[in-house]
Amino acid sequence: MSQQISRRQWLGGAAAAGTAITMVPRHVLGGANQTAPSEKRGVGCIGVGGRGSYVGGLACRLGNKVAAADVDRLRVERFAGGGPCAAYTDYRRVLERDDIDVVTIGTPDHWHTKIAIEAMKAGKDVYSEKPLTLTIDEGKKLCHVVRATKRVLQVGTQQRSSAQFLLAVAIAQSGRLGKRIKAICGIGGGPGSEVFPTANPPDHLDWNTWLGQCPVVPYSPQRCHGSFRWWLEYSGGKLTDWGAHHLDIAQWALGYEHSGPVEAEGRGQFPNFPDDVDPVDFFAGRVKLPNGFNTATTFHATLTFANGSSLVTTPGENGIVLEGEEGRILVNRGRIAGKPIEELTAADRDHFAEEVVRLYKDRPIDPQSIATGGTNSGVDQASADHMANFFASVQDRQQPVSDVFTHHRGVSSCHLSNIAMLLRRKLRWDPEKEDFVGDEQASALVARPQREPYTISL
């Protein structure tokens, strides 16, 4: 690494003290023989509410803000800001433009896959917010399109650009915790709700397009902006919200980032989802549920892997515990801690610094800050680093740190957990065929019926 700071210094005192380490990829810093992202590629931002406007803004710091789209006219006009950025309510207008090189996707989850596929087919590189998919089948389609088009697709799981998580993965994969590891992901519980009244959609919102592939239902404000995650029609609740972050890291630590579990089981409480409703009928639009939140509020899901390792998801305190017969560590957005961390020698720290670089797809990384305290410490820096990692991949055409292939496997485990809880039985899963074993009802939930003209095609 040019202008190298001692890796012992980088990993030493901070890791031993149980504090968080954040990092900045070298390409952000520029320097001799390196291309900074100031080439200013044309950026188009699709879905510019809350988080979508934030990641779109990060991308526009590294490129030219050319155009934006959102089905809510007020949101896109606010993001465009009245300047040279064009504002559309139809995302296809963004994809048609020759002056756009990269696209950010910050829509609700049920729109991610369709827009990402069409963007890549239009020759754009894509940064999509997590979770990347609504179903397991969507992930399979995205992997196919990335291979076919050779476009770059980075998923917004910014924990992969945060050094304490990379260190946790490196330690787990080293065998220091043992050969068989149990990962416990605490992701917090989900909200319940009353039954909401329906209303006419506001004039500035294209409600039919917002629904997209999903069944037509009357408008309620609680179905969309800010709370769409709590409806199974559009998302997967906490299992695909925080689960998309923590299960991704945990499965990577277990060494199954390119595969998946062989069994899934769990129990959960799904408000406004009666026990006698077949989820297959519900997702096909043949059954109407009460008009209220219906994702799991409490849950306990267990995935078992071929080597006997397991991954458990609970509403517990936010973070990931990795425990084996030889040791136990905790990692979250504020710290990494545990006896195996405290016992690292100077030689160990040098070795694991090398491993962190390897896990970061061999991109150079430097210490930027050491954050202590709450679980949200360093989140903004990690998000900025993650976007910079995407722009570096756009430049050199290498896979980003949160590539589609491994994220598909991680988010599939989130979907598997939800399916097992909805069906209330243990399910067998074939990670090579990516289908359930001997269970037609479960297999019917790998994909969902899609409403015309919003179907996803290859």
Side-chain angles (χ1 to χ4, degrees), residues 327-402:
R328 178 182 186 272
I329 60 175
L330 163 70
V331 62
N332 59 31
R333 291 187 180 180
R335 63 194 179 109
I336 180 169
K339 192 172 182 181
I341 303 296
E342 298 168 2
E343 293 178 343
L344 290 176
T345 66
D348 291 335
R349 293 165 190 159
D350 282 346
H351 168 72
F352 284 118
E354 296 282 356
E355 287 299 291
V356 166
V357 172
R358 178 186 64 81
L359 291 170
Y360 207 59
K361 303 292 179 77
D362 291 320
R363 296 195 188 281
I365 57 177
D366 282 327
Q368 173 69 7
S369 63
I370 297 174
T372 60
T375 58
N376 286 323
S377 298
V379 172
D380 288 344
Q381 185 62 50
S383 295
D385 293 347
H386 204 58
M387 184 62 72
N389 179 271
F390 167 61
F391 271 76
S393 295
V394 171
Q395 174 68 25
D396 64 22
R397 311 313 298 170
Q398 301 302 309
Q399 285 292 330
V401 69
S402 190

Side-chain angles (χ1 to χ4, degrees), residues 126-241:
V126 176
Y127 183 106
S128 176
E129 263 304 284
K130 60 80 199 166
L132 186 58
T133 60
L134 184 65
T135 67
I136 295 169
D137 184 66
E138 288 186 0
K140 294 160 72 172
K141 286 182 168 65
L142 281 164
C143 290
H144 173 83
V145 173
V146 169
R147 291 188 183 100
T149 63
K150 303 189 185 306
R151 305 316 304 179
V152 172
L153 173 56
Q154 171 92 303
V155 186
T157 47
Q158 72 271 17
Q159 288 182 172
R160 284 195 170 214
S161 287
S162 190
Q164 66 262 30
F165 290 101
L166 296 173
L167 177 58
V169 171
I171 289 174
Q173 290 190 355
S174 74
R176 287 197 172 221
L177 303 181
K179 293 182 178 179
R180 191 163 59 182
I181 297 176
K182 180 179 182 179
I184 304 171
C185 296
I187 61 174
S193 80
E194 58 187 18
V195 175
F196 300 116
T198 60
N200 292 322
D203 292 340
H204 55 82
L205 175 67
D206 183 346
W207 176 239
N208 184 60
T209 301
W210 189 97
L211 289 169
Q213 62 171 285
C214 304
V216 174
V217 293
Y219 169 77
S220 294
Q222 295 84 2
R223 278 187 179 268
C224 52
H225 301 342
S227 51
F228 69 87
R229 290 196 186 282
W230 317 125
W231 304 79
L232 287 166
E233 297 94 313
Y234 321 120
S235 188
K238 275 296 182 74
L239 266 296
T240 57
D241 179 18

